[in-house]
Amino acid sequence: MSFQLQPKETIFIAGSYGMVGSAIKKELYKDGFNVNSKILSPTKEELNLTDFQAVKQWFKQNKPTIVIIAAAKVGGILANSKFPYDFILQNLKIQTNLIEISFLTNVKKLLFLGSSCIYPKLCKQPIKENFLLTDSLEKTNEFYAIAKIAGIKLCQSLMIQNKFNAICLMPTNLYGPRDNYHPQNSHVIPSLIRKFYEAKKFNKKNVTCWGTGSPLREFLHVDDLAKACLFLLKNWNPIEDIKKQNVNNEENTCWINVGTEYEISIKELAEKISDACGYEGKIIWDNSKPNGTPRKKLDTTKINSLGWYPKISLDEGIKLTLDAYIEERISNELRT
């Protein structure tokens, strides 16, 4: 059963200036929600999401009817390893404040964005939604994953106990415009784009990458995720099954995987990005650095059965992201 978005919704996007939030906002505008509905996108300076009282007061004043939680503290292997306290505490505060206050203020529907890192490190592949909490997590992002699992379970508990309409999306590895290109704290695709772009620009003879290059990953362009968010807001309502008592508590999964059918080794990915940047030097693999989870392929049967599929291929997505990175870099250089 589809969820009927009304002509005049008030949609709050938490984290609307990040890579994911900005893509969702753009998709809402494309779908015409800026015409009759109100889209709320406060900055960090305007609303501190870790401050419960500030968030509560903001909800009281602005009265959102739909809440999308794209706000989170994120980073790659190095950042997660160096700052575990920051990753678990900040994410717990942000999501708990938003979820609880959304429930208390009778928000009609909430969408919470998680991550595929919630699943066990050595999980059976491809990973189904019900594999959650069946084994140990990957140690390099355990604290972030635990925070995200807590958010999912908070949504699930509110759905079971109070019939609160909350859905959780578990996207695979994301990339795209407005990503974080920090040399140490970024994810794999933005990190590789920066490495090979600079290696080409400064005529470096070699580029060093972490690990062996053997892990397999799938990657989803952020614009495809944004489309999935809007699609699921309209078309996926696990709460309806609860109301009709069609499922028991063990089957009350309010989370759904969002991914692609394509996976690639990190080595092959590095070679693709190297070629896209026009780099002709040597790639060196530092085997002393961690690989992370050996394989992480999501089972997307559930979302596919609802009628959603990604549109942007990895090759097209890499080109779009590289172009956006170069444009952003040139713009920053001109300003300085």
Side-chain angles (χ1 to χ4, degrees):
M1 180 179 176
S2 62
F3 174 73
Q4 297 301 314
L5 287 170
Q6 299 303 314
K8 291 186 179 181
E9 299 287 2
T10 300
I11 305 172
F12 171 32
I13 309 171
S16 60
Y17 293 88
M19 178 179 71
V20 174
S22 61
I24 293 171
K25 184 176 180 180
K26 181 177 71 174
E27 190 62 29
L28 286 169
Y29 271 67
K30 282 175 63 178
D31 208 53
F33 280 96
N34 59 313
V35 178
N36 293 314
S37 294
K38 183 187 293 183
I39 298 175
L40 305 173
S41 53
T43 64
K44 290 180 180 178
E45 291 73 27
E46 292 169 334
L47 178 59
N48 178 5
L49 297 175
T50 65
D51 184 333
F52 182 87
Q53 291 302 326
V55 176
K56 186 178 179 181
Q57 183 62 30
W58 187 91
F59 267 67
K60 184 179 179 181
Q61 290 175 348
N62 292 278
K63 297 179 173 56
T65 58
I66 307 292
V67 172
I68 300 170
I69 305 177
K73 181 173 177 59
V74 298
I77 289 176
L78 181 60
N80 274 270
S81 300
K82 286 179 68 178
F83 308 109
Y85 171 77
D86 295 345
F87 275 88
I88 192 167
L89 186 64
Q90 288 189 35
N91 283 303
L92 283 172
K93 283 185 175 183
I94 290 167
Q95 65 203 30
T96 303
N97 288 347
L98 289 168
I99 294 166
E100 182 182 6
I101 295 169
S102 293
F103 166 65
L104 293 174
T105 55
N106 299 310
V107 163
K108 288 163 55 177
K109 192 164 190 177
L110 178 140
L111 186 152
F112 173 62
L113 280 157
S115 165
S116 59
C117 74
I118 63 164
Y119 295 113
K121 176 179 181 176
L122 302 177
C123 206
K124 182 181 176 183
Q125 306 284 324
I127 305 169
K128 296 180 181 293
E129 285 85 357
N130 61 7
F131 291 174
L132 180 65
L133 296 175
T134 56
D135 208 337
S136 303
L137 297 166
E138 161 60 42
K139 290 296 180 185
T140 57
N141 56 21
E142 179 182 40
F143 296 91
Y144 175 77
I146 287 172
K148 286 296 181 182
I149 292 168
I152 295 163
K153 287 299 181 178
L154 180 55
C155 288
Q156 184 186 27
S157 65
L158 282 168
M159 184 181 75
I160 294 169
Q161 184 175 329
N162 298 102
K163 310 297 185 288
F164 181 57
N165 198 354
I167 60 173
C168 308
L169 276 63
M170 300 305 113
T172 189
N173 301 282
L174 297 171
Y175 70 102
R178 300 179 71 92
D179 209 337
N180 171 21
Y181 296 93
H182 190 278
Q184 281 85 42
N185 297 337
S186 58
H187 288 117
V188 60
I189 285 185
S191 173
L192 291 173
I193 283 176
R194 178 168 181 159
K195 278 178 185 284
F196 288 111
Y197 175 84
E198 292 184 346
K200 168 70 174 177
K201 182 176 181 178
F202 299 114
N203 297 311
K204 293 184 179 180
K205 293 182 179 179
N206 54 66
V207 168
T208 301
C209 298
W210 276 31
T212 64
S214 63
L216 294 170
R217 293 288 184 271
E218 64 176 321
F219 295 94
L220 182 72
H221 193 278
V222 70
D223 287 352
D224 272 333
L225 174 63
K227 288 179 172 63
C229 288
L230 188 52
F231 176 87
L232 290 168
L233 273 174
K234 294 178 178 179
N235 297 289
W236 187 49
N237 287 285
I239 190 66
E240 293 298 327
D241 288 329
I242 303 296
K243 288 178 179 177
K244 295 173 184 175
Q245 297 182 330
N246 288 344
V247 294
N248 60 44
N249 281 353
E250 287 155 6
E251 295 170 329
N252 290 340
T253 54
C254 62
W255 62 97
I256 191 166
N257 292 338
V258 186
T260 70
E261 296 181 352
Y262 179 75
E263 62 182 334
I264 186 173
S265 72
I266 298 300
K267 184 175 185 294
E268 291 173 296
L269 176 68
E271 290 166 353
K272 269 186 183 291
I273 293 175
S274 173
D275 290 344
C277 292
Y279 178 67
E280 297 178 352
K282 184 178 180 182
I283 302 175
I284 298 171
W285 292 94
D286 183 353
N287 299 347
S288 69
K289 296 294 192 295
N291 271 327
T293 304
R295 187 187 180 205
K296 194 166 63 172
K297 176 72 186 74
L298 294 182
D299 185 311
T300 56
T301 302
K302 194 170 178 179
I303 192 170
N304 296 156
S305 71
L306 295 171
W308 182 87
Y309 294 87
K311 303 293 185 186
I312 301 171
S313 70
L314 183 60
D315 286 337
E316 180 188 358
I318 288 172
K319 183 182 184 307
L320 289 169
T321 307
L322 177 59
D323 289 346
Y325 171 71
I326 293 170
E327 182 179 345
E328 179 183 324
R329 185 160 177 147
I330 291 171
S331 176
N332 290 338
E333 288 170 355
L334 287 174
R335 282 201 297 268
T336 57

